[in-house]
Amino acid sequence: MRDDELTALVSAFLYFFFALASWFVLRPMRDTVAAAIGSVALSVLWIGTLGTMLVANAIFSAVVVRFPPRKFIPYAYHAITVSLVLFYFAFRKFGAVEGSNSDLMMEKAFYVWTSVFNLFVTSLFWCFMADTFRSEQAKRLFGFIGVGGTLGSIAGSAATASLAKVLGSANLLLVSCVLLQIAVLVVMRFPRTDATAGAAGPSEATKALGGSVWDGLTHIVKSPYLTGVAAFLALFTIGSSFLYFEQSAIVGAVYADRASRTEVLAQIELAVQVATVLAQVFLTGRLIRWFGLGAALAFLPVVSMIGFGAIAAAPTFAAVAAFVVLRRAGNFAFTNPAMEILFTVVPREDKYKAKAFIETFVYRGGDQLGAWAFAGLTTLGLGLTAIAWIAVPMSAVWMALAVWLARRQAAMAAVSERTAPT
């Protein structure tokens, strides 16, 4: 870290802490719905999530071309906060009786909406970071910034694990709102210096992006690099969907009531975040510095080949839980920071439009493909073992793509550094 990066680094750390703390207060509540309704109903909800995500992307694209990031990011977070307050009143009015028709309807609506907005919360953060820091800075600083998000995740998960039975689920929504608004304050006060101007320069950072609302999609189609990034994320989400359905089915069978499911899922999430922060502090920066971006991108595909192979050999709750912790910790500690570095070398417009589309709609599209694939394979009579074996070669393709993207990023970063103004 250089002296002129300190204020921006601390601000980014705090921004990520409060943004993810806000989401992880709610994540166990959302996953409780999945464990309660079963895989068939869950796949239907994912279709609704994908459609809602498409509408949300259209609205986001219309806003992002008209306002500079420091304005439209707070607007987006304010809109999310308003939606959570509405859910709070709806749960208080219609969700008093657990298992009633009105309660189930509210839970399903809550699942769909939170599955949409949680991606926008994190995607907007990393869009801002990719626009703020250059590729060279990102490789040095994103690991530390990621620790802020991990600590926020731990705080949010721990709050839900300890307060779910005391406050009740509805009141946790208000806790999430407060945390998200603190993140908004950090964005609004984010430092404006040469060290935080990224590739755009200080004057460009205050301008609206302009262009068309369709630029995100069209630029992805035209760019092999962005298409590769989208494919990389899609393969990740398909594998995650397989694992998510298995987890939901087992948790739903083992734990009977909502509070117990929320508690155990929060405990798993807490284990994920503790493992993540240890890896981020001691391993993330060293892995990228010593072995390169390719090693960070390829880490999770390799773990997935091993993990799905282990599940094929022993499809138990213990095996699934261990794989969930390792995979999610590896994603937060290595894959996620590495993917964000990929976007530091693309044009500024693509850092918001194309990146947001990939990390929201493509992400949920991969979820849906994974859901359809899992349901189709189950319909054909395949069990957890057979589905896990199918995921092994898919993870091998994912690893090959990781190596190619790392090489392309290095070449594009070299060109960017040569042409950057001095």
Side-chain angles (χ1 to χ4, degrees), residues 49-109:
T49 299
L50 186 62
T52 306
M53 184 66 77
L54 185 60
V55 174
N57 258 288
I59 296 173
F60 173 79
S61 298
V63 173
V64 78
V65 300
R66 291 175 171 82
F67 300 97
R70 292 173 188 267
K71 287 187 177 181
F72 70 69
I73 290 177
Y75 292 163
Y77 286 176
H78 288 327
I80 291 170
T81 300
V82 170
S83 72
L84 293 179
V85 172
L86 293 177
F87 270 111
Y88 167 77
F89 287 110
F91 273 121
R92 298 283 298 208
K93 182 175 180 59
F94 301 110
V97 181
E98 183 174 341
S100 65
N101 290 334
S102 60
D103 178 57
L104 291 175
M105 290 179 60
M106 288 304 308
E107 284 189 332
K108 292 177 180 179

Short mmCIF file of all heavy atoms in Angstrom, two decimals, residues 49-109:
data_model
loop_
_atom_site.label_atom_id
_atom_site.label_comp_id
_atom_site.label_asym_id
_atom_site.label_seq_id
_atom_site.Cartn_x
_atom_site.Cartn_y
_atom_site.Cartn_z
N THR A 49 -37.11 -15.61 -10.43
CA THR A 49 -35.94 -14.80 -10.13
C THR A 49 -35.26 -14.31 -11.40
O THR A 49 -34.85 -13.15 -11.49
CB THR A 49 -34.94 -15.61 -9.29
OG1 THR A 49 -35.56 -16.00 -8.06
CG2 THR A 49 -33.69 -14.79 -8.98
N LEU A 50 -35.14 -15.21 -12.38
CA LEU A 50 -34.49 -14.83 -13.64
C LEU A 50 -35.28 -13.74 -14.36
O LEU A 50 -34.71 -12.78 -14.88
CB LEU A 50 -34.33 -16.06 -14.53
CG LEU A 50 -33.53 -15.87 -15.83
CD1 LEU A 50 -32.10 -15.46 -15.52
CD2 LEU A 50 -33.55 -17.15 -16.66
N GLY A 51 -36.61 -13.88 -14.39
CA GLY A 51 -37.43 -12.85 -15.02
C GLY A 51 -37.35 -11.52 -14.30
O GLY A 51 -37.25 -10.46 -14.93
N THR A 52 -37.38 -11.56 -12.96
CA THR A 52 -37.26 -10.34 -12.18
C THR A 52 -35.90 -9.69 -12.38
O THR A 52 -35.77 -8.46 -12.44
CB THR A 52 -37.47 -10.64 -10.69
OG1 THR A 52 -38.72 -11.31 -10.51
CG2 THR A 52 -37.48 -9.36 -9.87
N MET A 53 -34.86 -10.53 -12.51
CA MET A 53 -33.52 -10.00 -12.74
C MET A 53 -33.43 -9.28 -14.08
O MET A 53 -32.75 -8.25 -14.20
CB MET A 53 -32.50 -11.15 -12.70
CG MET A 53 -31.06 -10.70 -12.85
SD MET A 53 -30.50 -9.71 -11.44
CE MET A 53 -30.25 -11.00 -10.23
N LEU A 54 -34.11 -9.80 -15.10
CA LEU A 54 -34.10 -9.14 -16.41
C LEU A 54 -34.74 -7.76 -16.32
O LEU A 54 -34.22 -6.79 -16.88
CB LEU A 54 -34.84 -10.01 -17.43
CG LEU A 54 -34.82 -9.52 -18.88
CD1 LEU A 54 -33.40 -9.43 -19.40
CD2 LEU A 54 -35.66 -10.45 -19.76
N VAL A 55 -35.86 -7.66 -15.62
CA VAL A 55 -36.52 -6.37 -15.44
C VAL A 55 -35.63 -5.42 -14.64
O VAL A 55 -35.48 -4.24 -14.99
CB VAL A 55 -37.87 -6.56 -14.73
CG1 VAL A 55 -38.50 -5.20 -14.41
CG2 VAL A 55 -38.81 -7.39 -15.59
N ALA A 56 -35.01 -5.93 -13.58
CA ALA A 56 -34.14 -5.09 -12.75
C ALA A 56 -32.94 -4.59 -13.55
O ALA A 56 -32.50 -3.45 -13.39
CB ALA A 56 -33.67 -5.88 -11.53
N ASN A 57 -32.40 -5.44 -14.44
CA ASN A 57 -31.29 -5.01 -15.28
C ASN A 57 -31.68 -3.90 -16.24
O ASN A 57 -30.90 -2.98 -16.49
CB ASN A 57 -30.75 -6.21 -16.07
CG ASN A 57 -29.48 -6.77 -15.47
OD1 ASN A 57 -28.42 -6.15 -15.55
ND2 ASN A 57 -29.59 -7.92 -14.83
N ALA A 58 -32.89 -4.00 -16.78
CA ALA A 58 -33.37 -2.95 -17.69
C ALA A 58 -33.48 -1.61 -16.96
O ALA A 58 -33.08 -0.56 -17.49
CB ALA A 58 -34.71 -3.35 -18.29
N ILE A 59 -34.01 -1.65 -15.74
CA ILE A 59 -34.13 -0.42 -14.95
C ILE A 59 -32.74 0.12 -14.60
O ILE A 59 -32.48 1.33 -14.71
CB ILE A 59 -34.95 -0.69 -13.68
CG1 ILE A 59 -36.38 -1.09 -14.05
CG2 ILE A 59 -34.95 0.54 -12.77
CD1 ILE A 59 -37.21 -1.54 -12.87
N PHE A 60 -31.86 -0.78 -14.18
CA PHE A 60 -30.50 -0.37 -13.82
C PHE A 60 -29.78 0.26 -15.01
O PHE A 60 -29.12 1.29 -14.88
CB PHE A 60 -29.72 -1.58 -13.31
CG PHE A 60 -28.26 -1.31 -13.08
CD1 PHE A 60 -27.83 -0.65 -11.94
CD2 PHE A 60 -27.30 -1.71 -14.00
CE1 PHE A 60 -26.49 -0.40 -11.71
CE2 PHE A 60 -25.96 -1.46 -13.79
CZ PHE A 60 -25.55 -0.81 -12.65
N SER A 61 -29.91 -0.35 -16.19
CA SER A 61 -29.25 0.17 -17.39
C SER A 61 -29.76 1.56 -17.75
O SER A 61 -28.99 2.42 -18.19
CB SER A 61 -29.46 -0.79 -18.57
OG SER A 61 -28.89 -2.06 -18.30
N ALA A 62 -31.06 1.78 -17.55
CA ALA A 62 -31.63 3.09 -17.84
C ALA A 62 -31.10 4.17 -16.90
O ALA A 62 -30.92 5.33 -17.29
CB ALA A 62 -33.16 3.03 -17.77
N VAL A 63 -30.83 3.78 -15.64
CA VAL A 63 -30.33 4.73 -14.66
C VAL A 63 -28.83 4.98 -14.84
O VAL A 63 -28.35 6.12 -14.74
CB VAL A 63 -30.62 4.22 -13.23
CG1 VAL A 63 -29.95 5.11 -12.18
CG2 VAL A 63 -32.11 4.15 -12.98
N VAL A 64 -28.08 3.91 -15.14
CA VAL A 64 -26.63 4.01 -15.15
C VAL A 64 -26.11 4.90 -16.28
O VAL A 64 -25.02 5.47 -16.18
CB VAL A 64 -26.00 2.60 -15.25
CG1 VAL A 64 -26.06 2.06 -16.66
CG2 VAL A 64 -24.57 2.60 -14.75
N VAL A 65 -26.88 5.06 -17.36
CA VAL A 65 -26.42 5.91 -18.46
C VAL A 65 -26.67 7.38 -18.18
O VAL A 65 -26.14 8.24 -18.89
CB VAL A 65 -27.11 5.52 -19.79
CG1 VAL A 65 -26.81 4.08 -20.14
CG2 VAL A 65 -28.62 5.75 -19.73
N ARG A 66 -27.44 7.70 -17.14
CA ARG A 66 -27.84 9.09 -16.88
C ARG A 66 -27.15 9.73 -15.68
O ARG A 66 -27.13 10.96 -15.58
CB ARG A 66 -29.36 9.16 -16.67
CG ARG A 66 -30.15 8.87 -17.95
CD ARG A 66 -31.65 8.82 -17.67
NE ARG A 66 -32.42 8.77 -18.90
CZ ARG A 66 -32.64 7.65 -19.57
NH1 ARG A 66 -32.15 6.50 -19.13
NH2 ARG A 66 -33.36 7.67 -20.69
N PHE A 67 -26.61 8.92 -14.78
CA PHE A 67 -26.02 9.47 -13.57
C PHE A 67 -24.62 8.92 -13.36
O PHE A 67 -24.32 7.79 -13.72
CB PHE A 67 -26.88 9.11 -12.34
CG PHE A 67 -28.29 9.62 -12.40
CD1 PHE A 67 -29.32 8.80 -12.84
CD2 PHE A 67 -28.58 10.92 -12.03
CE1 PHE A 67 -30.62 9.25 -12.89
CE2 PHE A 67 -29.88 11.39 -12.08
CZ PHE A 67 -30.90 10.56 -12.52
N PRO A 68 -23.73 9.73 -12.75
CA PRO A 68 -22.40 9.21 -12.39
C PRO A 68 -22.52 8.18 -11.28
O PRO A 68 -23.50 8.17 -10.52
CB PRO A 68 -21.65 10.46 -11.93
CG PRO A 68 -22.71 11.41 -11.53
CD PRO A 68 -23.88 11.15 -12.41
N PRO A 69 -21.53 7.28 -11.16
CA PRO A 69 -21.63 6.19 -10.18
C PRO A 69 -21.89 6.64 -8.76
O PRO A 69 -22.62 5.99 -8.02
CB PRO A 69 -20.27 5.50 -10.31
CG PRO A 69 -19.83 5.78 -11.72
CD PRO A 69 -20.34 7.15 -12.02
N ARG A 70 -21.30 7.76 -8.34
CA ARG A 70 -21.47 8.21 -6.96
C ARG A 70 -22.89 8.65 -6.67
O ARG A 70 -23.25 8.89 -5.51
CB ARG A 70 -20.48 9.33 -6.64
CG ARG A 70 -19.02 8.86 -6.62
CD ARG A 70 -18.07 10.04 -6.48
NE ARG A 70 -16.69 9.65 -6.65
CZ ARG A 70 -15.87 9.32 -5.65
NH1 ARG A 70 -16.32 9.35 -4.41
NH2 ARG A 70 -14.62 8.96 -5.88
N LYS A 71 -23.69 8.79 -7.70
CA LYS A 71 -25.11 9.11 -7.50
C LYS A 71 -25.99 7.89 -7.67
O LYS A 71 -26.88 7.64 -6.87
CB LYS A 71 -25.54 10.22 -8.46
CG LYS A 71 -24.99 11.59 -8.11
CD LYS A 71 -25.61 12.66 -8.99
CE LYS A 71 -25.12 14.06 -8.59
NZ LYS A 71 -25.73 15.11 -9.44
N PHE A 72 -25.77 7.09 -8.76
CA PHE A 72 -26.72 6.00 -8.99
C PHE A 72 -26.51 4.83 -8.02
O PHE A 72 -27.45 4.06 -7.77
CB PHE A 72 -26.73 5.53 -10.45
CG PHE A 72 -25.50 4.80 -10.92
CD1 PHE A 72 -25.17 3.53 -10.47
CD2 PHE A 72 -24.70 5.35 -11.91
CE1 PHE A 72 -24.07 2.86 -10.95
CE2 PHE A 72 -23.59 4.68 -12.40
CZ PHE A 72 -23.28 3.43 -11.91
N ILE A 73 -25.32 4.68 -7.44
CA ILE A 73 -25.14 3.62 -6.45
C ILE A 73 -25.97 3.90 -5.19
O ILE A 73 -26.70 3.02 -4.72
CB ILE A 73 -23.64 3.43 -6.12
CG1 ILE A 73 -22.91 2.82 -7.32
CG2 ILE A 73 -23.46 2.55 -4.89
CD1 ILE A 73 -21.42 2.67 -7.14
N PRO A 74 -25.92 5.12 -4.62
CA PRO A 74 -26.83 5.40 -3.48
C PRO A 74 -28.30 5.26 -3.85
O PRO A 74 -29.10 4.76 -3.06
CB PRO A 74 -26.49 6.84 -3.10
CG PRO A 74 -25.06 7.00 -3.50
CD PRO A 74 -24.93 6.21 -4.78
N TYR A 75 -28.68 5.71 -5.08
CA TYR A 75 -30.08 5.56 -5.49
C TYR A 75 -30.49 4.09 -5.46
O TYR A 75 -31.59 3.74 -4.99
CB TYR A 75 -30.28 6.09 -6.91
CG TYR A 75 -30.12 7.60 -7.06
CD1 TYR A 75 -29.92 8.18 -8.31
CD2 TYR A 75 -30.16 8.44 -5.95
CE1 TYR A 75 -29.76 9.54 -8.46
CE2 TYR A 75 -30.01 9.81 -6.09
CZ TYR A 75 -29.80 10.35 -7.35
OH TYR A 75 -29.65 11.71 -7.49
N ALA A 76 -29.64 3.21 -5.98
CA ALA A 76 -29.96 1.79 -6.01
C ALA A 76 -30.11 1.22 -4.60
O ALA A 76 -31.05 0.46 -4.31
CB ALA A 76 -28.87 1.03 -6.78
N TYR A 77 -29.20 1.61 -3.70
CA TYR A 77 -29.27 1.09 -2.33
C TYR A 77 -30.48 1.64 -1.58
O TYR A 77 -31.06 0.95 -0.74
CB TYR A 77 -27.97 1.43 -1.58
CG TYR A 77 -26.78 0.59 -2.00
CD1 TYR A 77 -25.52 0.84 -1.48
CD2 TYR A 77 -26.91 -0.46 -2.91
CE1 TYR A 77 -24.41 0.07 -1.84
CE2 TYR A 77 -25.82 -1.22 -3.29
CZ TYR A 77 -24.57 -0.95 -2.75
OH TYR A 77 -23.50 -1.71 -3.12
N HIS A 78 -30.85 2.89 -1.87
CA HIS A 78 -32.06 3.43 -1.25
C HIS A 78 -33.29 2.65 -1.71
O HIS A 78 -34.19 2.35 -0.89
CB HIS A 78 -32.24 4.91 -1.63
CG HIS A 78 -31.25 5.83 -0.97
ND1 HIS A 78 -30.75 5.61 0.29
CD2 HIS A 78 -30.68 6.99 -1.41
CE1 HIS A 78 -29.91 6.59 0.61
NE2 HIS A 78 -29.85 7.43 -0.40
N ALA A 79 -33.35 2.30 -2.98
CA ALA A 79 -34.48 1.54 -3.50
C ALA A 79 -34.56 0.17 -2.84
O ALA A 79 -35.66 -0.32 -2.50
CB ALA A 79 -34.37 1.39 -5.02
N ILE A 80 -33.41 -0.47 -2.64
CA ILE A 80 -33.38 -1.76 -1.96
C ILE A 80 -33.88 -1.63 -0.52
O ILE A 80 -34.65 -2.47 -0.03
CB ILE A 80 -31.96 -2.35 -2.00
CG1 ILE A 80 -31.60 -2.75 -3.44
CG2 ILE A 80 -31.84 -3.56 -1.07
CD1 ILE A 80 -30.14 -3.11 -3.61
N THR A 81 -33.46 -0.57 0.15
CA THR A 81 -33.88 -0.35 1.54
C THR A 81 -35.39 -0.18 1.63
O THR A 81 -36.04 -0.75 2.51
CB THR A 81 -33.17 0.89 2.12
OG1 THR A 81 -31.75 0.69 2.09
CG2 THR A 81 -33.61 1.13 3.56
N VAL A 82 -35.95 0.59 0.71
CA VAL A 82 -37.41 0.78 0.70
C VAL A 82 -38.12 -0.56 0.52
O VAL A 82 -39.12 -0.85 1.19
CB VAL A 82 -37.81 1.77 -0.40
CG1 VAL A 82 -39.33 1.79 -0.58
CG2 VAL A 82 -37.31 3.17 -0.07
N SER A 83 -37.59 -1.40 -0.37
CA SER A 83 -38.23 -2.70 -0.60
C SER A 83 -38.19 -3.56 0.66
O SER A 83 -39.16 -4.28 0.96
CB SER A 83 -37.53 -3.42 -1.76
OG SER A 83 -36.25 -3.90 -1.39
N LEU A 84 -37.10 -3.51 1.41
CA LEU A 84 -37.00 -4.30 2.64
C LEU A 84 -37.97 -3.80 3.71
O LEU A 84 -38.54 -4.60 4.46
CB LEU A 84 -35.57 -4.26 3.17
CG LEU A 84 -34.51 -4.96 2.31
CD1 LEU A 84 -33.14 -4.82 2.94
CD2 LEU A 84 -34.85 -6.44 2.12
N VAL A 85 -38.15 -2.50 3.77
CA VAL A 85 -39.12 -1.96 4.72
C VAL A 85 -40.54 -2.43 4.36
O VAL A 85 -41.33 -2.79 5.25
CB VAL A 85 -39.05 -0.41 4.74
CG1 VAL A 85 -40.20 0.16 5.57
CG2 VAL A 85 -37.71 0.04 5.30
N LEU A 86 -40.84 -2.47 3.07
CA LEU A 86 -42.16 -2.97 2.65
C LEU A 86 -42.33 -4.44 3.01
O LEU A 86 -43.41 -4.85 3.46
CB LEU A 86 -42.32 -2.77 1.14
CG LEU A 86 -42.40 -1.32 0.65
CD1 LEU A 86 -42.48 -1.27 -0.87
CD2 LEU A 86 -43.60 -0.61 1.27
N PHE A 87 -41.28 -5.23 2.85
CA PHE A 87 -41.35 -6.63 3.24
C PHE A 87 -41.54 -6.76 4.76
O PHE A 87 -42.23 -7.66 5.24
CB PHE A 87 -40.10 -7.38 2.80
CG PHE A 87 -40.21 -8.00 1.44
CD1 PHE A 87 -39.47 -7.51 0.38
CD2 PHE A 87 -41.06 -9.08 1.22
CE1 PHE A 87 -39.57 -8.08 -0.88
CE2 PHE A 87 -41.17 -9.66 -0.03
CZ PHE A 87 -40.42 -9.16 -1.08
N TYR A 88 -40.92 -5.87 5.50
CA TYR A 88 -41.07 -5.90 6.96
C TYR A 88 -42.53 -5.76 7.35
O TYR A 88 -43.07 -6.56 8.14
CB TYR A 88 -40.24 -4.78 7.59
CG TYR A 88 -40.56 -4.52 9.04
CD1 TYR A 88 -40.08 -5.36 10.03
CD2 TYR A 88 -41.36 -3.44 9.41
CE1 TYR A 88 -40.38 -5.14 11.37
CE2 TYR A 88 -41.67 -3.20 10.74
CZ TYR A 88 -41.18 -4.05 11.72
OH TYR A 88 -41.49 -3.83 13.03
N PHE A 89 -43.20 -4.76 6.79
CA PHE A 89 -44.61 -4.56 7.12
C PHE A 89 -45.48 -5.71 6.60
O PHE A 89 -46.45 -6.11 7.25
CB PHE A 89 -45.10 -3.22 6.57
CG PHE A 89 -44.58 -2.03 7.32
CD1 PHE A 89 -43.66 -1.18 6.75
CD2 PHE A 89 -45.01 -1.78 8.62
CE1 PHE A 89 -43.18 -0.08 7.45
CE2 PHE A 89 -44.53 -0.68 9.33
CZ PHE A 89 -43.62 0.16 8.75
N ALA A 90 -45.12 -6.25 5.44
CA ALA A 90 -45.88 -7.37 4.88
C ALA A 90 -45.75 -8.61 5.76
O ALA A 90 -46.74 -9.32 6.01
CB ALA A 90 -45.41 -7.67 3.46
N PHE A 91 -44.54 -8.90 6.23
CA PHE A 91 -44.35 -10.06 7.11
C PHE A 91 -45.09 -9.88 8.43
O PHE A 91 -45.63 -10.84 8.99
CB PHE A 91 -42.86 -10.28 7.38
CG PHE A 91 -42.18 -11.14 6.34
CD1 PHE A 91 -41.11 -10.64 5.61
CD2 PHE A 91 -42.61 -12.44 6.10
CE1 PHE A 91 -40.48 -11.43 4.66
CE2 PHE A 91 -42.00 -13.23 5.15
CZ PHE A 91 -40.93 -12.72 4.42
N ARG A 92 -45.09 -8.66 8.94
CA ARG A 92 -45.79 -8.40 10.20
C ARG A 92 -47.30 -8.60 10.04
O ARG A 92 -47.97 -9.07 10.96
CB ARG A 92 -45.52 -6.97 10.66
CG ARG A 92 -44.06 -6.67 10.97
CD ARG A 92 -43.63 -7.22 12.28
NE ARG A 92 -44.36 -6.65 13.39
CZ ARG A 92 -43.87 -6.55 14.62
NH1 ARG A 92 -42.65 -6.95 14.87
NH2 ARG A 92 -44.61 -6.04 15.59
N LYS A 93 -47.81 -8.27 8.86
CA LYS A 93 -49.25 -8.34 8.66
C LYS A 93 -49.71 -9.72 8.18
O LYS A 93 -50.73 -10.24 8.63
CB LYS A 93 -49.69 -7.28 7.65
CG LYS A 93 -51.20 -7.23 7.41
CD LYS A 93 -51.58 -6.08 6.51
CE LYS A 93 -53.09 -6.04 6.26
NZ LYS A 93 -53.87 -5.89 7.49
N PHE A 94 -48.95 -10.33 7.24
CA PHE A 94 -49.43 -11.56 6.60
C PHE A 94 -48.66 -12.81 7.01
O PHE A 94 -49.08 -13.92 6.69
CB PHE A 94 -49.34 -11.42 5.07
CG PHE A 94 -50.14 -10.28 4.53
CD1 PHE A 94 -49.49 -9.16 4.00
CD2 PHE A 94 -51.52 -10.30 4.55
CE1 PHE A 94 -50.22 -8.10 3.49
CE2 PHE A 94 -52.25 -9.24 4.04
CZ PHE A 94 -51.60 -8.13 3.51
N GLY A 95 -47.52 -12.65 7.70
CA GLY A 95 -46.70 -13.81 7.98
C GLY A 95 -46.70 -14.22 9.44
O GLY A 95 -45.76 -14.89 9.90
N ALA A 96 -47.72 -13.84 10.18
CA ALA A 96 -47.74 -14.14 11.61
C ALA A 96 -47.89 -15.63 11.88
O ALA A 96 -47.36 -16.15 12.86
CB ALA A 96 -48.88 -13.37 12.29
N VAL A 97 -48.63 -16.35 11.03
CA VAL A 97 -48.87 -17.78 11.22
C VAL A 97 -47.95 -18.56 10.29
O VAL A 97 -48.14 -18.56 9.07
CB VAL A 97 -50.34 -18.14 10.94
CG1 VAL A 97 -50.55 -19.64 11.16
CG2 VAL A 97 -51.26 -17.32 11.83
N GLU A 98 -46.95 -19.22 10.85
CA GLU A 98 -45.98 -19.96 10.04
C GLU A 98 -46.67 -21.12 9.31
O GLU A 98 -47.40 -21.90 9.92
CB GLU A 98 -44.86 -20.50 10.93
CG GLU A 98 -43.78 -21.23 10.14
CD GLU A 98 -42.59 -21.63 11.01
OE1 GLU A 98 -42.44 -21.03 12.10
OE2 GLU A 98 -41.84 -22.52 10.60
N GLY A 99 -46.46 -21.19 8.00
CA GLY A 99 -47.04 -22.26 7.21
C GLY A 99 -48.36 -21.92 6.56
O GLY A 99 -48.87 -22.71 5.75
N SER A 100 -48.95 -20.76 6.89
CA SER A 100 -50.21 -20.36 6.25
C SER A 100 -49.97 -19.98 4.81
O SER A 100 -48.84 -19.74 4.38
CB SER A 100 -50.82 -19.18 7.02
OG SER A 100 -49.99 -18.04 6.92
N ASN A 101 -51.05 -19.90 4.03
CA ASN A 101 -50.93 -19.56 2.61
C ASN A 101 -50.31 -18.18 2.42
O ASN A 101 -49.45 -17.99 1.55
CB ASN A 101 -52.30 -19.62 1.93
CG ASN A 101 -52.82 -21.04 1.79
OD1 ASN A 101 -52.04 -21.98 1.74
ND2 ASN A 101 -54.14 -21.18 1.74
N SER A 102 -50.74 -17.21 3.22
CA SER A 102 -50.19 -15.86 3.08
C SER A 102 -48.71 -15.84 3.46
O SER A 102 -47.91 -15.15 2.84
CB SER A 102 -50.97 -14.88 3.95
OG SER A 102 -50.92 -15.27 5.32
N ASP A 103 -48.35 -16.63 4.48
CA ASP A 103 -46.95 -16.69 4.90
C ASP A 103 -46.10 -17.30 3.80
O ASP A 103 -45.00 -16.80 3.50
CB ASP A 103 -46.84 -17.53 6.18
CG ASP A 103 -45.40 -17.67 6.65
OD1 ASP A 103 -44.75 -16.64 6.88
OD2 ASP A 103 -44.93 -18.81 6.77
N LEU A 104 -46.57 -18.37 3.18
CA LEU A 104 -45.81 -19.01 2.10
C LEU A 104 -45.65 -18.08 0.90
O LEU A 104 -44.59 -18.04 0.27
CB LEU A 104 -46.49 -20.31 1.68
CG LEU A 104 -46.44 -21.46 2.71
CD1 LEU A 104 -47.26 -22.65 2.22
CD2 LEU A 104 -45.00 -21.87 2.96
N MET A 105 -46.69 -17.35 0.57
CA MET A 105 -46.62 -16.41 -0.55
C MET A 105 -45.59 -15.32 -0.28
O MET A 105 -44.79 -14.97 -1.15
CB MET A 105 -47.99 -15.79 -0.81
CG MET A 105 -49.01 -16.76 -1.40
SD MET A 105 -50.62 -15.99 -1.65
CE MET A 105 -50.20 -14.67 -2.78
N MET A 106 -45.58 -14.80 0.95
CA MET A 106 -44.62 -13.76 1.29
C MET A 106 -43.20 -14.32 1.27
O MET A 106 -42.26 -13.65 0.83
CB MET A 106 -44.93 -13.19 2.68
CG MET A 106 -46.17 -12.31 2.72
SD MET A 106 -46.06 -10.94 1.54
CE MET A 106 -44.47 -10.25 1.99
N GLU A 107 -43.02 -15.54 1.76
CA GLU A 107 -41.69 -16.13 1.77
C GLU A 107 -41.16 -16.32 0.35
O GLU A 107 -39.98 -16.07 0.08
CB GLU A 107 -41.72 -17.48 2.50
CG GLU A 107 -41.79 -17.37 4.00
CD GLU A 107 -41.60 -18.71 4.66
OE1 GLU A 107 -41.94 -19.73 4.04
OE2 GLU A 107 -41.11 -18.74 5.80
N LYS A 108 -42.02 -16.77 -0.56
CA LYS A 108 -41.59 -16.97 -1.94
C LYS A 108 -41.24 -15.64 -2.62
O LYS A 108 -40.25 -15.54 -3.34
CB LYS A 108 -42.68 -17.70 -2.73
CG LYS A 108 -42.88 -19.14 -2.29
CD LYS A 108 -44.02 -19.81 -3.04
CE LYS A 108 -44.20 -21.25 -2.58
NZ LYS A 108 -45.33 -21.92 -3.27
N ALA A 109 -42.05 -14.62 -2.37
CA ALA A 109 -41.75 -13.30 -2.92
C ALA A 109 -40.44 -12.76 -2.34
O ALA A 109 -39.62 -12.18 -3.07
CB ALA A 109 -42.89 -12.33 -2.62
#
